[in-house]
Amino acid sequence: MTTNEQGLSGERADIIELLASRRNFLRHTAQGLTDEQATTRSTKSELTVGGLIKHVSTVEQRWAEFAQGKEDAMPAEYTPEVIAAWQDQFRFVGGETLADVLAEYEKVAAATEELVRTLDLDTKYELPVAPWQPPGVFWTVRMAFLHIAAETAQHAGHADIIRETIDGQKTMG
């Protein structure tokens, strides 16, 4: 059983620790990068370190809204506008900088951690309609938080490969 610095213990402390450790891996990939490097496509993919951090922040915010039962947390329909906004999650737009994206990620993380402390983890909501998701599937709030950790870990791995290709830095190893 984990006890964190706020004295929280048990499952909630474990979830907060899991989220924090996965976020740290992702943030580490951006350490010391310039805005230009943070937006460099260093592989065949269009993904960049900065774009991945921005995307993960947006996705975390949406899943946190889902965990609060907000029906409009996820798109109800995949229109051209929704798809364009989705694509903009992966790149800096309108003068955004790495510092801006990291600052927003910190705000989102703090808000999510407060939800982990306060929401009923057993409350269930139906997953939003999506091309990859059949209707009628429900997730607990707990599962939404675990999904955020999984998504963050997956994209931290992507960012690590991109970063290593840019300048050789690795998160681990």
Side-chain angles (χ1 to χ4, degrees):
M1 179 167 64
T2 302
T3 301
N4 68 14
E5 62 275 359
Q6 293 89 22
L8 196 61
S9 64
E11 179 179 30
R12 292 177 191 276
D14 290 345
I15 293 170
I16 288 172
E17 176 58 32
L18 178 65
L19 289 167
S21 69
R22 298 314 175 258
R23 288 187 198 113
N24 285 335
F25 284 134
L26 182 58
R27 279 192 300 265
H28 182 78
T29 64
Q31 208 169 47
L33 288 181
T34 65
D35 288 336
E36 182 180 351
Q37 289 172 314
T39 57
T40 296
R41 290 177 43 208
S42 64
T43 66
K44 284 190 172 204
S45 167
E46 292 197 26
L47 299 176
T48 67
V49 171
L52 283 165
I53 293 169
K54 181 179 174 182
H55 167 70
V56 168
S57 180
T58 301
V59 168
E60 179 170 330
Q61 184 174 26
R62 287 191 177 156
W63 280 107
E65 290 170 0
F66 169 84
Q68 295 172 77
K70 295 183 179 178
E71 292 183 18
D72 61 348
M74 308 288 182
E77 198 176 326
Y78 288 83
T79 64
E81 295 80 18
V82 168
I83 292 168
W86 179 262
Q87 291 169 334
D88 281 347
Q89 288 179 47
F90 289 94
R91 57 182 166 242
F92 292 1
V93 295
E96 287 177 314
T97 66
L98 180 58
D100 296 334
V101 169
L102 287 168
E104 180 62 21
Y105 192 32
E106 290 302 314
K107 285 188 224 172
V108 169
T112 300
E113 288 178 8
E114 184 58 28
L115 294 175
V116 172
R117 287 182 191 88
T118 58
L119 293 179
D120 177 354
L121 299 177
D122 292 321
T123 299
K124 289 183 180 182
Y125 300 105
E126 186 172 8
L127 289 177
V129 174
W132 54 87
Q133 179 61 55
V137 176
F138 287 76
W139 273 9
T140 63
V141 168
R142 172 188 301 99
M143 187 61 184
F145 294 138
L146 295 174
H147 180 72
I148 292 168
E151 175 101 4
T152 304
Q154 178 179 6
H155 288 313
H158 296 143
D160 199 39
I161 291 167
I162 294 165
R163 176 62 189 260
E164 185 176 359
T165 306
I166 291 170
D167 65 4
Q169 177 176 305
K170 299 181 215 174
T171 300
M172 299 176 79

